[in-house]
Amino acid sequence: MTAARNYIDGTWTDAGSDAIEMFDPATGETIGFAPRGGRAEIDAAVEAAKAAFPAWSTTPPPKRGEILYRLGQVMESRKDELGRLVTREMGKVRDEALGDVQEAIDMAYYIAGEGRRLFGNTTPSELPDKICMTLREPIGVCGLITPWNFPVAIPSWKSLPALVCGNTVVLKPSEETGGCATAYVECLLEAGLPEGVVNIVQGTGEEAGDALVKHRDVPVISFTGSSETGRIVSQNAAPMLKHVHVELGGKNGIIVLDDADLDFAVQAILWSAYGTSGQRCTAGSRIIVQDGVYDTLLEKLEAGARAQRVGHGWEDGIDVGPVVRPSALEKIEKYVKIGQEEDGARLVCGGGRPALDSALAGGWFFEPTVFADVTPNMRIAQEEIFGPVTALIRVKDLDEAIEVHNGTDYGLSGAIITKDLASSMKAMRALKTGIVYLHNGTIGAEVHLPFGGIKATGNGHREAGITGIDFFSEMKTVYIDYSGGLQRAQIDT
Ligand code: ADP
């Protein structure tokens, strides 16, 4: 059985009688239970995090960084075990599950170094005998609400910058992947994090998540999930003027121009569209193709999609695992039906559940699916499906490609595949997304760079990289006047 537990004020507790059932998406079988935490558990966790704050926030940042460096080492030693847990709880294939863990390891090593930086600025003053500078200060208890699609990586993206900056943490992971989050917190403790500095409360979004967002002693909320929930979280946090970071959906486009290497383009598209069964917020779900190569690319992509091996994520040679839950499968089926009914769109391959051997008959699998002849305003070209479905849109030139690319509500990741430097440069500036990939697909973030999107994807913040440090610290501006007299800014010029 998977062990999803709460860790509050230095004490682990197991699921009680009113537990949340957890499933293996590859088989549909029950794999464990998570505690159904609510207001009482959130209150206790916030209390513990508050009590731990004075000591942790005054621990020298390099010392905090050393603990987080050890986290990287602990996770390396447990990488295989954590990877297996990722596949078991949310289904992604082995390489990606291990990559999920690797991303947290990378974040640990990166952020450990930040303990010796946490830079502010020094700058001249407009007045003589005066120096100006900025310092970073910890904020307090950070409430972190995470989804299931990167069940180890996303808790690390949020918690590690928060911790190195001197904050304490209450983590509310997804209902689906509580075991991964539990194991991640175990690693933090094994690395030497003091009691109370990190707390984890399992539970539903409506109970535990909501209580965390509304808690008056939690000044910072960082949330990754659906746009719908992100709006609710933002509204609930607004009356208390909290710092809120929301990282939401995407409808990411890959532009392929006439001069592209099509065999390479197909590899990039398959990886972007079907990696994590299309359940990444950066998934490539719109392929915007110039007229001259459209038919050839479609032919090659269809062959590639049909050749994707669907099956249990931990088995050898599997490209596409299951989707996370039955309701995700139903949503994908709904969009395939919408696509088939949209005038002109053509289902080229996939579109249903694959026939798998009996061990996986109860799993939540969906075939890699390609729609062709999609037009930019169709629902399958506008709405996030979060499954292995991609849509080809035909365009005449780069200008039209950019216009189509930018014509959605979302703005997370965009990509262009061309050999022409000028077209790449033009797209780099013109694509309205937080992330742009030149000569690749839309997926594949690195931890030392800012991650996030514009428009309906987010609210202007970025996680990871130095921007993660910015979000989890408060800037203090310091003026030091050693003139010995009264000097008035803007007046005594
Ligand atoms: P998904 O449907 O992909 O699981 P959600 O946005 O519903 O995406 O969930 C992302 C995270 O947000 C999960 O940890 C979930 O429990 C939590 N959550 C859901 N609803 C709320 C809410 N009203 N307040 C706070 N957190 C929530």
Side-chain angles (χ1 to χ4, degrees), residues 129-397:
D129 296 331
K130 187 176 171 188
I131 298 173
C132 315
M133 64 182 188
T134 57
L135 298 175
R136 290 182 187 277
E137 304 264 326
I139 310 172
V141 179
C142 299
L144 312 179
I145 300 175
T146 54
W148 47 266
N149 63 341
F150 283 86
V152 178
I154 295 182
S156 82
W157 293 358
K158 296 189 188 301
S159 60
L160 300 183
L163 291 170
V164 83
C165 289
N167 305 288
T168 55
V169 160
V170 177
L171 170 65
K172 204 306 279 175
S174 162
E175 295 86 319
E176 269 86 9
T177 51
C180 293
T182 299
Y184 170 68
V185 171
E186 281 171 9
C187 292
L188 274 166
L189 301 177
E190 207 177 318
L193 200 70
E195 273 181 20
V197 173
V198 69
N199 303 268
I200 176 170
V201 179
Q202 313 274 351
T204 66
E206 293 72 21
E207 296 163 299
D210 185 73
L212 186 56
V213 171
K214 292 178 179 165
H215 200 294
R216 63 174 61 254
D217 293 330
V218 179
V220 182
I221 296 291
S222 181
F223 167 89
T224 299
S226 64
S227 295
E228 197 186 2
T229 307
R231 287 196 173 88
I232 297 171
V233 165
S234 302
Q235 282 165 5
N236 287 339
M240 281 175 265
L241 304 177
K242 297 188 179 209
H243 301 219
V244 182
H245 159 240
V246 294
E247 192 53 54
L248 311 173
K251 191 70 189 174
N252 313 287
I254 302 172
I255 296 172
V256 183
L257 296 186
D258 279 349
D259 67 350
D261 171 343
L262 295 189
D263 291 320
F264 165 75
V266 167
Q267 292 311 309
I269 294 165
L270 292 171
W271 173 228
S272 295
Y274 305 132
T276 324
S277 307
Q279 303 169 108
R280 294 191 185 208
C281 30
T282 53
S285 56
R286 296 180 303 143
I287 315 302
I288 302 160
V289 190
Q290 198 171 2
D291 203 30
V293 289
Y294 182 93
D295 293 329
T296 318
L297 183 81
L298 175 57
E299 201 177 297
K300 287 176 183 279
L301 182 60
E302 178 186 351
R306 287 188 189 278
Q308 294 281 292
R309 290 151 300 184
V310 180
H312 192 292
W314 205 261
E315 277 170 19
D316 288 339
I318 296 298
D319 302 302
V320 181
V323 298
V324 70
R325 54 170 102 99
S327 63
L329 207 52
E330 285 157 19
K331 181 176 171 191
I332 298 163
E333 284 172 336
K334 182 188 88 177
Y335 273 106
V336 167
K337 196 157 175 288
I338 289 170
Q340 286 173 302
E341 285 166 3
E342 284 184 300
D343 209 15
R346 187 158 55 89
L347 178 64
V348 174
C349 63
R353 303 184 190 197
L356 295 172
D357 66 42
S358 56
L360 304 178
W364 305 316
F365 293 92
F366 202 84
E367 292 167 328
T369 298
V370 176
F371 272 100
D373 305 342
V374 174
T375 53
N377 293 328
M378 287 180 182
R379 289 184 64 188
I380 55 169
Q382 288 290 331
E383 297 172 24
E384 190 176 46
I385 301 172
F386 230 55
V389 179
T390 201
L392 260 70
I393 302 172
R394 188 193 292 262
V395 292
K396 62 177 184 309
D397 56 21

Side-chain angles (χ1 to χ4, degrees), residues 393-408:
I393 302 172
R394 188 193 292 262
V395 292
K396 62 177 184 309
D397 56 21
L398 176 62
D399 286 340
E400 188 186 354
I402 290 171
E403 193 184 324
V404 168
H405 176 278
N406 291 344
T408 74

